[in-house]
Amino acid sequence: GVGAGLSIWESSWHDWEWAIGVNLWGVIYGIKVFVPIMIALEEPCHIVNTSSIAGLLAQHPSAPYQVTKHAVIALTENLQYSLIQKETKIRASVLCPGYVKTRILEAERNRPKELENEEIEISPEQEAILQYLRESIDAGISPQEVADLLFRAIKEEKLYVGTHPELIPRVQERMETIMSSLEVV
């Protein structure tokens, strides 16, 4: 995945196009190509789509990143229920990791030339957020730990796969806000 952009209005059109292209269209293409093949095999199979804990939370510093990660969760939920409804032998999971020691903050190195932004000045507030993200990722869990959790979840056919139980209260808070807002008064 790529974490391009800032707030909704501060993110460039290029940030939006790049994040949606990689984080969402990449998943859609994978499903469109591989699910028909998997169905034809008539063998038990499992699909894992990678979202982020940001896809379950109400706020993230990069709007394009968060929006695409929410979309991957909805897409995987729809996929799982469609696979069950059609009585296939395929199941799906959505991986929602917290901070993992990856090079996500170096993703700009892979941005296509046609989607590059003009040089922008980073504010002290934005630099502070980047520094926090750097430190959090550096202190995060290893990709191997994520893989171990993921394989266990696949065996248990879990739809949602998390990596950081300490973030569950933030997800729960969002869900409670949604539920209380939907109540008819």
Side-chain angles (χ1 to χ4, degrees):
V2 296
L6 301 166
S7 68
I8 295 166
W9 64 91
E10 293 171 310
S11 298
S12 71
W13 292 113
H14 289 226
D15 293 333
W16 281 101
E17 189 173 345
W18 188 42
I20 291 169
V22 172
N23 297 349
L24 181 56
W25 276 109
V27 175
I28 293 169
Y29 286 132
I31 290 168
K32 292 280 291 171
V33 169
F34 289 102
V35 168
I37 295 168
M38 295 167 92
I39 290 172
L41 289 173
E42 295 185 11
E43 294 288 333
C45 301
H46 204 97
I47 297 164
V48 177
N49 294 324
T50 302
S51 178
S52 167
I53 194 67
L56 294 168
L57 298 177
Q59 191 279 331
H60 187 274
S62 169
Y65 179 80
Q66 184 176 28
V67 167
T68 59
K69 295 307 185 173
H70 272 266
V72 169
I73 290 171
L75 186 124
T76 307
E77 290 168 336
N78 183 280
L79 174 64
Q80 171 78 329
Y81 297 117
S82 296
L83 293 168
I84 291 169
Q85 182 183 34
K86 296 192 182 299
E87 299 180 356
T88 72
K89 295 181 180 182
I90 307 166
R91 294 297 172 261
S93 295
V94 60
L95 177 62
C96 302
Y99 295 112
V100 180
K101 294 178 189 176
T102 67
R103 295 174 61 194
I104 192 167
L105 293 180
E106 299 172 32
E108 282 292 323
R109 72 192 187 286
N110 297 318
R111 189 189 283 242
K113 287 255 186 254
E114 66 273 12
L115 296 179
E116 287 179 355
N117 289 322
E118 295 178 15
E119 289 293 320
I120 58 170
E121 190 171 317
I122 297 176
S123 72
E125 295 85 13
Q126 293 164 338
E127 184 53 47
I129 291 168
L130 280 172
Q131 185 58 33
Y132 171 79
L133 290 172
R134 278 187 213 100
E135 290 169 4
S136 297
I137 290 168
D138 288 345
I141 65 175
S142 73
Q144 183 60 54
E145 290 173 275
V146 175
D148 293 342
L149 291 167
L150 181 58
F151 282 113
R152 194 169 349 145
I154 290 170
K155 286 179 187 171
E156 297 171 10
E157 293 189 359
K158 288 189 175 184
L159 175 56
Y160 307 96
V161 184
T163 60
H164 290 73
E166 66 273 18
L167 296 175
I168 292 172
R170 290 183 57 200
V171 175
Q172 185 172 359
E173 180 183 325
R174 175 177 177 257
M175 292 299 144
E176 288 170 358
T177 300
I178 292 169
M179 294 305 295
S180 68
S181 297
L182 293 174
E183 291 176 3
V184 178
V185 280

